[in-house]
Amino acid sequence: MSSESIHISCLSDEVDCKKGIASVREVFFRTSPHGRSLKGADREQFFFNWAGWYMHNFPKQTLLIWGAREKIIGYLVGVFDSASGEELFKRIFYYKEFARWYAEYPSHFHINCHPDYQRLGHGAALVHKFGHDAKVSGVRGLHIVTGSKARNREFYERLGFRQRDQKMVDGRSLVLLGKHL
C-alpha cells in the first residue's frame, strides 16, 4: 500500500452520490480501452452495463476507495447474488455461459483503479473488503470472469482466485475464476 491515507466506503454512505458516480465514470473510462473509443449512447450503455447498473441497483455493494483530498481513486461494483441478476443475463454477453457456477460462487464484481494508483494495493483492499462484506452477508464464494490471457488474471490469482471454467464466447477465450469465502 502507498503511504497515502486512504479509506473505503460504499456508495450509499456518500452524501453526494452524483460526485461519486461522476468519479467512477472518470476512472472507468480511463481504464477501459474499449470504452474510450465509444461515443454517445453506445458509450453510456457500455458504462451502464459494466458499472452504472450495479451502482443504481446495489449501492451498498458498490465500494469507493478514496485518496488524498477526498478524490476517488478506484471502485468496485458488484452483486452478492449473481443468479438474481436476471437483467445481467441480457446486458453482459457472457453472463449465461457461466451460470452453472453461480451457486458455488454466487457473488461477482468489477473493479478498476485510476492508472496513477494501480499496483499499490488499493485494488486488493477493495476485493478484501467486498469479500468480507459478502461473507458477513452469508455468501459462500466470489467469482470473476476475465480473458484467459488478460493482464488482470494474475492479480486475481494472487488474491486466491482459481480457474474453475474456460469457454469461448463470441470469439473470446474467457475464464471464470472462483474463490471460496
Side-chain angles (χ1 to χ4, degrees), residues 87-141:
E87 180 77 15
L88 293 173
F89 284 85
K90 295 180 251 173
R91 295 188 171 282
I92 298 178
F93 72 97
Y94 61 75
Y95 209 76
K96 285 185 219 178
E97 298 296 325
F98 294 102
R100 75 178 201 87
W101 292 98
Y102 300 164
E104 187 172 354
Y105 303 100
S107 182
H108 80 275
F109 59 90
H110 305 282
I111 181 173
N112 283 303
C113 285
H114 188 285
D116 294 345
Y117 293 90
Q118 292 178 357
R119 302 189 190 289
L120 298 173
H122 303 316
L126 286 166
V127 173
H128 289 305
K129 171 74 170 131
F130 185 75
H132 169 79
D133 293 352
K135 186 174 184 177
V136 167
S137 294
V139 174
R140 56 187 264 182

Short mmCIF file of all heavy atoms in Angstrom, two decimals, residues 87-141:
data_model
loop_
_atom_site.label_atom_id
_atom_site.label_comp_id
_atom_site.label_asym_id
_atom_site.label_seq_id
_atom_site.Cartn_x
_atom_site.Cartn_y
_atom_site.Cartn_z
N GLU A 87 -31.37 -9.26 -15.07
CA GLU A 87 -31.11 -8.17 -16.01
C GLU A 87 -29.72 -8.33 -16.62
O GLU A 87 -29.50 -8.02 -17.79
CB GLU A 87 -31.23 -6.83 -15.28
CG GLU A 87 -30.99 -5.64 -16.14
CD GLU A 87 -32.17 -5.29 -17.04
OE1 GLU A 87 -33.28 -5.79 -16.81
OE2 GLU A 87 -31.94 -4.50 -17.98
N LEU A 88 -28.78 -8.83 -15.82
CA LEU A 88 -27.41 -9.01 -16.31
C LEU A 88 -27.32 -10.07 -17.40
O LEU A 88 -26.44 -10.02 -18.25
CB LEU A 88 -26.47 -9.35 -15.16
CG LEU A 88 -26.27 -8.23 -14.15
CD1 LEU A 88 -25.47 -8.71 -12.96
CD2 LEU A 88 -25.59 -7.03 -14.80
N PHE A 89 -28.20 -11.07 -17.35
CA PHE A 89 -28.20 -12.09 -18.38
C PHE A 89 -28.42 -11.47 -19.76
O PHE A 89 -27.94 -11.99 -20.76
CB PHE A 89 -29.29 -13.15 -18.10
CG PHE A 89 -28.91 -14.12 -17.02
CD1 PHE A 89 -29.14 -13.83 -15.69
CD2 PHE A 89 -28.33 -15.33 -17.33
CE1 PHE A 89 -28.80 -14.72 -14.69
CE2 PHE A 89 -27.97 -16.24 -16.35
CZ PHE A 89 -28.21 -15.92 -15.01
N LYS A 90 -29.13 -10.35 -19.80
CA LYS A 90 -29.37 -9.65 -21.06
C LYS A 90 -28.26 -8.66 -21.39
O LYS A 90 -27.99 -8.41 -22.54
CB LYS A 90 -30.71 -8.91 -20.98
CG LYS A 90 -31.91 -9.80 -20.85
CD LYS A 90 -33.17 -8.98 -20.78
CE LYS A 90 -33.71 -9.08 -19.37
NZ LYS A 90 -34.84 -8.22 -19.08
N ARG A 91 -27.64 -8.09 -20.38
CA ARG A 91 -26.68 -6.99 -20.57
C ARG A 91 -25.25 -7.44 -20.85
O ARG A 91 -24.55 -6.81 -21.61
CB ARG A 91 -26.66 -6.09 -19.33
CG ARG A 91 -27.95 -5.39 -19.12
CD ARG A 91 -27.84 -4.35 -18.00
NE ARG A 91 -29.05 -3.57 -17.99
CZ ARG A 91 -29.32 -2.59 -18.84
NH1 ARG A 91 -28.47 -2.27 -19.76
NH2 ARG A 91 -30.45 -1.93 -18.77
N ILE A 92 -24.79 -8.47 -20.16
CA ILE A 92 -23.39 -8.88 -20.25
C ILE A 92 -23.29 -10.14 -21.11
O ILE A 92 -23.87 -11.17 -20.79
CB ILE A 92 -22.79 -9.08 -18.85
CG1 ILE A 92 -22.83 -7.75 -18.09
CG2 ILE A 92 -21.37 -9.63 -18.94
CD1 ILE A 92 -22.31 -7.80 -16.67
N PHE A 93 -22.52 -10.05 -22.17
CA PHE A 93 -22.53 -11.07 -23.22
C PHE A 93 -22.19 -12.48 -22.74
O PHE A 93 -22.62 -13.45 -23.34
CB PHE A 93 -21.60 -10.66 -24.37
CG PHE A 93 -20.13 -10.73 -24.06
CD1 PHE A 93 -19.40 -11.83 -24.45
CD2 PHE A 93 -19.50 -9.70 -23.40
CE1 PHE A 93 -18.03 -11.90 -24.18
CE2 PHE A 93 -18.14 -9.76 -23.14
CZ PHE A 93 -17.41 -10.87 -23.52
N TYR A 94 -21.44 -12.65 -21.70
CA TYR A 94 -21.04 -13.99 -21.26
C TYR A 94 -21.82 -14.50 -20.05
O TYR A 94 -21.60 -15.60 -19.60
CB TYR A 94 -19.54 -14.01 -20.92
CG TYR A 94 -19.17 -13.07 -19.79
CD1 TYR A 94 -19.47 -13.37 -18.47
CD2 TYR A 94 -18.52 -11.88 -20.06
CE1 TYR A 94 -19.14 -12.51 -17.44
CE2 TYR A 94 -18.18 -11.01 -19.04
CZ TYR A 94 -18.50 -11.33 -17.73
OH TYR A 94 -18.18 -10.47 -16.72
N TYR A 95 -22.72 -13.71 -19.52
CA TYR A 95 -23.33 -14.00 -18.22
C TYR A 95 -23.97 -15.37 -18.13
O TYR A 95 -23.76 -16.11 -17.17
CB TYR A 95 -24.33 -12.88 -17.88
CG TYR A 95 -24.48 -12.67 -16.40
CD1 TYR A 95 -23.49 -12.00 -15.68
CD2 TYR A 95 -25.59 -13.13 -15.71
CE1 TYR A 95 -23.62 -11.79 -14.32
CE2 TYR A 95 -25.72 -12.92 -14.36
CZ TYR A 95 -24.73 -12.26 -13.67
OH TYR A 95 -24.85 -12.06 -12.33
N LYS A 96 -24.76 -15.73 -19.13
CA LYS A 96 -25.44 -17.05 -19.13
C LYS A 96 -24.46 -18.20 -19.21
O LYS A 96 -24.71 -19.27 -18.68
CB LYS A 96 -26.41 -17.14 -20.30
CG LYS A 96 -27.67 -16.37 -20.14
CD LYS A 96 -28.58 -16.66 -21.31
CE LYS A 96 -29.27 -15.40 -21.72
NZ LYS A 96 -30.14 -15.57 -22.86
N GLU A 97 -23.37 -17.99 -19.92
CA GLU A 97 -22.41 -19.07 -20.19
C GLU A 97 -21.82 -19.68 -18.92
O GLU A 97 -21.43 -20.84 -18.92
CB GLU A 97 -21.28 -18.57 -21.09
CG GLU A 97 -21.74 -18.09 -22.44
CD GLU A 97 -22.36 -19.19 -23.29
OE1 GLU A 97 -21.90 -20.34 -23.19
OE2 GLU A 97 -23.29 -18.88 -24.04
N PHE A 98 -21.73 -18.92 -17.86
CA PHE A 98 -21.10 -19.40 -16.63
C PHE A 98 -22.09 -19.59 -15.49
O PHE A 98 -21.70 -19.79 -14.34
CB PHE A 98 -19.99 -18.43 -16.20
CG PHE A 98 -18.83 -18.39 -17.16
CD1 PHE A 98 -18.69 -17.35 -18.06
CD2 PHE A 98 -17.87 -19.40 -17.17
CE1 PHE A 98 -17.62 -17.31 -18.94
CE2 PHE A 98 -16.80 -19.37 -18.05
CZ PHE A 98 -16.68 -18.33 -18.94
N ALA A 99 -23.39 -19.55 -15.79
CA ALA A 99 -24.43 -19.58 -14.76
C ALA A 99 -24.36 -20.81 -13.85
O ALA A 99 -24.74 -20.74 -12.68
CB ALA A 99 -25.81 -19.46 -15.40
N ARG A 100 -23.86 -21.92 -14.34
CA ARG A 100 -23.81 -23.13 -13.51
C ARG A 100 -22.91 -22.96 -12.28
O ARG A 100 -23.01 -23.70 -11.32
CB ARG A 100 -23.39 -24.34 -14.32
CG ARG A 100 -21.93 -24.41 -14.67
CD ARG A 100 -21.63 -25.71 -15.45
NE ARG A 100 -20.25 -26.10 -15.39
CZ ARG A 100 -19.70 -26.85 -14.44
NH1 ARG A 100 -20.43 -27.30 -13.46
NH2 ARG A 100 -18.42 -27.16 -14.48
N TRP A 101 -22.03 -21.96 -12.30
CA TRP A 101 -21.10 -21.72 -11.20
C TRP A 101 -21.66 -20.78 -10.14
O TRP A 101 -21.07 -20.63 -9.07
CB TRP A 101 -19.78 -21.16 -11.74
CG TRP A 101 -19.05 -22.17 -12.54
CD1 TRP A 101 -19.03 -22.30 -13.90
CD2 TRP A 101 -18.25 -23.25 -12.03
NE1 TRP A 101 -18.26 -23.38 -14.26
CE2 TRP A 101 -17.77 -23.98 -13.12
CE3 TRP A 101 -17.89 -23.65 -10.74
CZ2 TRP A 101 -16.95 -25.09 -12.99
CZ3 TRP A 101 -17.07 -24.75 -10.60
CH2 TRP A 101 -16.62 -25.46 -11.71
N TYR A 102 -22.80 -20.15 -10.39
CA TYR A 102 -23.29 -19.11 -9.50
C TYR A 102 -23.80 -19.64 -8.17
O TYR A 102 -23.90 -18.88 -7.21
CB TYR A 102 -24.36 -18.26 -10.19
CG TYR A 102 -23.86 -17.55 -11.44
CD1 TYR A 102 -24.75 -17.01 -12.34
CD2 TYR A 102 -22.50 -17.42 -11.71
CE1 TYR A 102 -24.30 -16.36 -13.49
CE2 TYR A 102 -22.05 -16.78 -12.85
CZ TYR A 102 -22.96 -16.25 -13.73
OH TYR A 102 -22.51 -15.61 -14.86
N ALA A 103 -24.10 -20.93 -8.06
CA ALA A 103 -24.49 -21.49 -6.76
C ALA A 103 -23.26 -21.64 -5.86
O ALA A 103 -23.30 -21.31 -4.67
CB ALA A 103 -25.17 -22.84 -6.95
N GLU A 104 -22.15 -22.11 -6.43
CA GLU A 104 -20.93 -22.30 -5.63
C GLU A 104 -20.20 -20.98 -5.39
O GLU A 104 -19.59 -20.78 -4.33
CB GLU A 104 -20.00 -23.28 -6.34
CG GLU A 104 -18.80 -23.67 -5.51
CD GLU A 104 -17.98 -24.79 -6.12
OE1 GLU A 104 -18.39 -25.38 -7.15
OE2 GLU A 104 -16.92 -25.10 -5.55
N TYR A 105 -20.21 -20.10 -6.37
CA TYR A 105 -19.54 -18.79 -6.29
C TYR A 105 -20.57 -17.72 -6.62
O TYR A 105 -20.56 -17.16 -7.72
CB TYR A 105 -18.37 -18.73 -7.27
CG TYR A 105 -17.35 -19.84 -7.05
CD1 TYR A 105 -17.35 -20.96 -7.87
CD2 TYR A 105 -16.42 -19.75 -6.04
CE1 TYR A 105 -16.43 -21.98 -7.68
CE2 TYR A 105 -15.49 -20.77 -5.83
CZ TYR A 105 -15.50 -21.88 -6.65
OH TYR A 105 -14.60 -22.88 -6.46
N PRO A 106 -21.49 -17.43 -5.70
CA PRO A 106 -22.64 -16.59 -6.05
C PRO A 106 -22.36 -15.12 -6.31
O PRO A 106 -23.13 -14.45 -6.99
CB PRO A 106 -23.57 -16.74 -4.85
CG PRO A 106 -22.77 -17.34 -3.77
CD PRO A 106 -21.57 -17.97 -4.36
N SER A 107 -21.28 -14.59 -5.81
CA SER A 107 -21.05 -13.16 -5.89
C SER A 107 -20.00 -12.83 -6.94
O SER A 107 -19.02 -13.55 -7.10
CB SER A 107 -20.58 -12.66 -4.52
OG SER A 107 -20.39 -11.27 -4.53
N HIS A 108 -20.22 -11.73 -7.67
CA HIS A 108 -19.21 -11.27 -8.62
C HIS A 108 -19.08 -9.76 -8.56
O HIS A 108 -19.93 -9.07 -8.00
CB HIS A 108 -19.53 -11.73 -10.05
CG HIS A 108 -20.56 -10.90 -10.74
ND1 HIS A 108 -21.90 -11.11 -10.60
CD2 HIS A 108 -20.44 -9.83 -11.55
CE1 HIS A 108 -22.58 -10.22 -11.31
NE2 HIS A 108 -21.70 -9.42 -11.91
N PHE A 109 -18.02 -9.27 -9.16
CA PHE A 109 -17.74 -7.84 -9.11
C PHE A 109 -16.90 -7.43 -10.31
O PHE A 109 -16.32 -8.25 -11.02
CB PHE A 109 -17.01 -7.48 -7.81
CG PHE A 109 -15.70 -8.21 -7.64
CD1 PHE A 109 -14.51 -7.67 -8.12
CD2 PHE A 109 -15.66 -9.44 -7.00
CE1 PHE A 109 -13.32 -8.34 -7.98
CE2 PHE A 109 -14.46 -10.12 -6.84
CZ PHE A 109 -13.28 -9.57 -7.33
N HIS A 110 -16.84 -6.10 -10.51
CA HIS A 110 -15.97 -5.46 -11.50
C HIS A 110 -15.21 -4.38 -10.73
O HIS A 110 -15.79 -3.68 -9.91
CB HIS A 110 -16.78 -4.84 -12.64
CG HIS A 110 -17.68 -5.79 -13.32
ND1 HIS A 110 -17.25 -6.72 -14.24
CD2 HIS A 110 -19.02 -5.99 -13.19
CE1 HIS A 110 -18.27 -7.43 -14.66
NE2 HIS A 110 -19.36 -7.02 -14.04
N ILE A 111 -13.94 -4.26 -11.01
CA ILE A 111 -13.09 -3.36 -10.24
C ILE A 111 -12.15 -2.60 -11.16
O ILE A 111 -11.68 -3.15 -12.16
CB ILE A 111 -12.30 -4.16 -9.19
CG1 ILE A 111 -11.42 -3.26 -8.33
CG2 ILE A 111 -11.49 -5.26 -9.83
CD1 ILE A 111 -10.75 -3.99 -7.18
N ASN A 112 -11.90 -1.34 -10.83
CA ASN A 112 -10.92 -0.53 -11.54
C ASN A 112 -10.31 0.48 -10.58
O ASN A 112 -11.00 1.03 -9.72
CB ASN A 112 -11.55 0.24 -12.70
CG ASN A 112 -11.80 -0.65 -13.90
OD1 ASN A 112 -10.88 -1.26 -14.42
ND2 ASN A 112 -13.05 -0.71 -14.33
N CYS A 113 -9.04 0.74 -10.76
CA CYS A 113 -8.34 1.81 -10.04
C CYS A 113 -7.73 2.75 -11.08
O CYS A 113 -7.31 2.32 -12.15
CB CYS A 113 -7.23 1.25 -9.16
SG CYS A 113 -7.85 0.46 -7.66
N HIS A 114 -7.72 4.02 -10.74
CA HIS A 114 -7.11 5.03 -11.59
C HIS A 114 -5.69 4.58 -11.93
O HIS A 114 -4.97 4.07 -11.06
CB HIS A 114 -7.10 6.36 -10.85
CG HIS A 114 -6.68 7.51 -11.67
ND1 HIS A 114 -5.35 7.74 -12.01
CD2 HIS A 114 -7.40 8.51 -12.23
CE1 HIS A 114 -5.28 8.83 -12.73
NE2 HIS A 114 -6.50 9.33 -12.89
N PRO A 115 -5.24 4.75 -13.17
CA PRO A 115 -3.90 4.30 -13.56
C PRO A 115 -2.77 4.81 -12.66
O PRO A 115 -1.80 4.10 -12.42
CB PRO A 115 -3.74 4.84 -14.99
CG PRO A 115 -5.14 4.95 -15.51
CD PRO A 115 -5.98 5.32 -14.31
N ASP A 116 -2.90 6.02 -12.12
CA ASP A 116 -1.86 6.55 -11.24
C ASP A 116 -1.81 5.85 -9.88
O ASP A 116 -0.87 6.06 -9.12
CB ASP A 116 -2.08 8.05 -10.99
CG ASP A 116 -1.90 8.89 -12.25
OD1 ASP A 116 -1.32 8.38 -13.24
OD2 ASP A 116 -2.35 10.05 -12.25
N TYR A 117 -2.83 5.04 -9.57
CA TYR A 117 -2.93 4.39 -8.26
C TYR A 117 -2.94 2.86 -8.36
O TYR A 117 -3.28 2.19 -7.40
CB TYR A 117 -4.17 4.89 -7.52
CG TYR A 117 -4.07 6.35 -7.16
CD1 TYR A 117 -4.52 7.32 -8.05
CD2 TYR A 117 -3.49 6.74 -5.96
CE1 TYR A 117 -4.40 8.66 -7.73
CE2 TYR A 117 -3.38 8.08 -5.64
CZ TYR A 117 -3.84 9.04 -6.53
OH TYR A 117 -3.72 10.36 -6.21
N GLN A 118 -2.58 2.34 -9.51
CA GLN A 118 -2.53 0.88 -9.66
C GLN A 118 -1.22 0.35 -9.11
O GLN A 118 -0.23 1.07 -8.99
CB GLN A 118 -2.70 0.50 -11.14
CG GLN A 118 -4.09 0.82 -11.64
CD GLN A 118 -4.28 0.51 -13.12
OE1 GLN A 118 -3.37 0.09 -13.82
NE2 GLN A 118 -5.50 0.73 -13.60
N ARG A 119 -1.24 -0.92 -8.76
CA ARG A 119 -0.07 -1.64 -8.22
C ARG A 119 0.40 -1.09 -6.87
O ARG A 119 1.58 -1.18 -6.53
CB ARG A 119 1.08 -1.65 -9.22
CG ARG A 119 0.69 -2.29 -10.55
CD ARG A 119 1.88 -2.47 -11.45
NE ARG A 119 1.54 -2.86 -12.79
CZ ARG A 119 1.06 -4.04 -13.18
NH1 ARG A 119 0.85 -4.98 -12.31
NH2 ARG A 119 0.79 -4.27 -14.44
N LEU A 120 -0.54 -0.54 -6.11
CA LEU A 120 -0.22 -0.01 -4.78
C LEU A 120 -1.01 -0.72 -3.68
O LEU A 120 -0.94 -0.32 -2.52
CB LEU A 120 -0.51 1.50 -4.72
CG LEU A 120 0.31 2.37 -5.67
CD1 LEU A 120 -0.19 3.81 -5.66
CD2 LEU A 120 1.79 2.31 -5.31
N GLY A 121 -1.80 -1.74 -4.05
CA GLY A 121 -2.57 -2.49 -3.06
C GLY A 121 -4.00 -2.02 -2.89
O GLY A 121 -4.76 -2.61 -2.12
N HIS A 122 -4.40 -0.96 -3.60
CA HIS A 122 -5.75 -0.43 -3.44
C HIS A 122 -6.81 -1.39 -3.99
O HIS A 122 -7.87 -1.57 -3.39
CB HIS A 122 -5.88 0.94 -4.09
CG HIS A 122 -4.91 1.94 -3.57
ND1 HIS A 122 -4.63 2.10 -2.23
CD2 HIS A 122 -4.13 2.85 -4.21
CE1 HIS A 122 -3.74 3.05 -2.07
NE2 HIS A 122 -3.41 3.53 -3.26
N GLY A 123 -6.53 -1.99 -5.13
CA GLY A 123 -7.47 -2.96 -5.70
C GLY A 123 -7.65 -4.15 -4.77
O GLY A 123 -8.77 -4.62 -4.54
N ALA A 124 -6.55 -4.65 -4.22
CA ALA A 124 -6.62 -5.77 -3.28
C ALA A 124 -7.45 -5.39 -2.06
O ALA A 124 -8.25 -6.19 -1.56
CB ALA A 124 -5.22 -6.22 -2.87
N ALA A 125 -7.28 -4.16 -1.58
CA ALA A 125 -8.06 -3.70 -0.42
C ALA A 125 -9.56 -3.70 -0.74
O ALA A 125 -10.37 -4.11 0.09
CB ALA A 125 -7.60 -2.31 0.01
N LEU A 126 -9.92 -3.27 -1.95
CA LEU A 126 -11.33 -3.29 -2.36
C LEU A 126 -11.87 -4.72 -2.42
O LEU A 126 -12.97 -4.99 -1.92
CB LEU A 126 -11.50 -2.60 -3.72
CG LEU A 126 -11.40 -1.09 -3.74
CD1 LEU A 126 -11.25 -0.58 -5.17
CD2 LEU A 126 -12.61 -0.46 -3.07
N VAL A 127 -11.10 -5.63 -3.00
CA VAL A 127 -11.56 -7.03 -3.11
C VAL A 127 -11.70 -7.65 -1.73
O VAL A 127 -12.68 -8.35 -1.44
CB VAL A 127 -10.61 -7.85 -4.01
CG1 VAL A 127 -10.99 -9.32 -3.99
CG2 VAL A 127 -10.63 -7.32 -5.44
N HIS A 128 -10.74 -7.40 -0.84
CA HIS A 128 -10.82 -7.95 0.52
C HIS A 128 -12.05 -7.42 1.25
O HIS A 128 -12.76 -8.18 1.92
CB HIS A 128 -9.56 -7.64 1.31
CG HIS A 128 -8.36 -8.41 0.86
ND1 HIS A 128 -8.31 -9.79 0.76
CD2 HIS A 128 -7.14 -7.98 0.46
CE1 HIS A 128 -7.13 -10.17 0.34
NE2 HIS A 128 -6.41 -9.09 0.12
N LYS A 129 -12.32 -6.12 1.13
CA LYS A 129 -13.49 -5.53 1.78
C LYS A 129 -14.78 -6.11 1.22
O LYS A 129 -15.69 -6.47 1.98
CB LYS A 129 -13.46 -4.01 1.60
CG LYS A 129 -14.71 -3.27 2.04
CD LYS A 129 -14.84 -3.18 3.52
CE LYS A 129 -15.99 -2.23 3.91
NZ LYS A 129 -16.88 -2.83 4.89
N PHE A 130 -14.86 -6.24 -0.09
CA PHE A 130 -16.05 -6.81 -0.72
C PHE A 130 -16.24 -8.26 -0.26
O PHE A 130 -17.35 -8.68 0.09
CB PHE A 130 -15.95 -6.73 -2.24
CG PHE A 130 -17.19 -7.18 -2.96
CD1 PHE A 130 -18.31 -6.37 -3.01
CD2 PHE A 130 -17.22 -8.40 -3.61
CE1 PHE A 130 -19.46 -6.77 -3.70
CE2 PHE A 130 -18.36 -8.81 -4.29
CZ PHE A 130 -19.48 -7.99 -4.33
N GLY A 131 -15.16 -9.04 -0.25
CA GLY A 131 -15.23 -10.43 0.21
C GLY A 131 -15.68 -10.52 1.66
O GLY A 131 -16.51 -11.36 2.01
N HIS A 132 -15.16 -9.64 2.50
CA HIS A 132 -15.58 -9.62 3.91
C HIS A 132 -17.07 -9.31 4.03
O HIS A 132 -17.81 -10.00 4.74
CB HIS A 132 -14.76 -8.58 4.68
CG HIS A 132 -15.29 -8.31 6.04
ND1 HIS A 132 -15.05 -9.15 7.11
CD2 HIS A 132 -16.07 -7.31 6.51
CE1 HIS A 132 -15.67 -8.68 8.18
NE2 HIS A 132 -16.28 -7.56 7.84
N ASP A 133 -17.52 -8.26 3.32
CA ASP A 133 -18.93 -7.88 3.37
C ASP A 133 -19.82 -9.01 2.84
O ASP A 133 -20.89 -9.28 3.40
CB ASP A 133 -19.17 -6.61 2.56
CG ASP A 133 -18.51 -5.38 3.17
OD1 ASP A 133 -17.98 -5.46 4.30
OD2 ASP A 133 -18.50 -4.33 2.48
N ALA A 134 -19.38 -9.67 1.77
CA ALA A 134 -20.15 -10.77 1.21
C ALA A 134 -20.24 -11.93 2.22
O ALA A 134 -21.32 -12.49 2.44
CB ALA A 134 -19.51 -11.25 -0.09
N LYS A 135 -19.14 -12.26 2.84
CA LYS A 135 -19.12 -13.37 3.81
C LYS A 135 -20.03 -13.06 5.00
O LYS A 135 -20.80 -13.92 5.43
CB LYS A 135 -17.69 -13.62 4.29
CG LYS A 135 -17.57 -14.83 5.18
CD LYS A 135 -16.12 -15.12 5.51
CE LYS A 135 -16.02 -16.40 6.34
NZ LYS A 135 -14.63 -16.74 6.62
N VAL A 136 -19.97 -11.84 5.50
CA VAL A 136 -20.83 -11.43 6.61
C VAL A 136 -22.30 -11.55 6.21
O VAL A 136 -23.16 -11.86 7.03
CB VAL A 136 -20.48 -9.98 7.07
CG1 VAL A 136 -21.55 -9.40 7.98
CG2 VAL A 136 -19.12 -9.97 7.74
N SER A 137 -22.60 -11.35 4.93
CA SER A 137 -23.97 -11.45 4.42
C SER A 137 -24.37 -12.88 4.10
O SER A 137 -25.46 -13.12 3.58
CB SER A 137 -24.14 -10.58 3.17
OG SER A 137 -23.99 -9.22 3.50
N GLY A 138 -23.47 -13.83 4.35
CA GLY A 138 -23.79 -15.24 4.13
C GLY A 138 -23.39 -15.80 2.78
O GLY A 138 -23.75 -16.92 2.44
N VAL A 139 -22.64 -15.05 2.00
CA VAL A 139 -22.20 -15.51 0.69
C VAL A 139 -21.05 -16.49 0.87
O VAL A 139 -20.16 -16.27 1.69
CB VAL A 139 -21.75 -14.31 -0.18
CG1 VAL A 139 -21.15 -14.77 -1.50
CG2 VAL A 139 -22.94 -13.37 -0.43
N ARG A 140 -21.04 -17.56 0.09
CA ARG A 140 -20.01 -18.60 0.27
C ARG A 140 -18.87 -18.54 -0.73
O ARG A 140 -17.87 -19.23 -0.56
CB ARG A 140 -20.65 -19.97 0.24
CG ARG A 140 -21.46 -20.24 -1.00
CD ARG A 140 -22.21 -21.51 -0.95
NE ARG A 140 -21.42 -22.54 -1.63
CZ ARG A 140 -21.81 -23.76 -1.80
NH1 ARG A 140 -22.95 -24.16 -1.33
NH2 ARG A 140 -21.06 -24.62 -2.45
N GLY A 141 -18.99 -17.73 -1.78
CA GLY A 141 -17.90 -17.65 -2.74
C GLY A 141 -18.04 -16.48 -3.69
O GLY A 141 -19.13 -15.95 -3.91
#
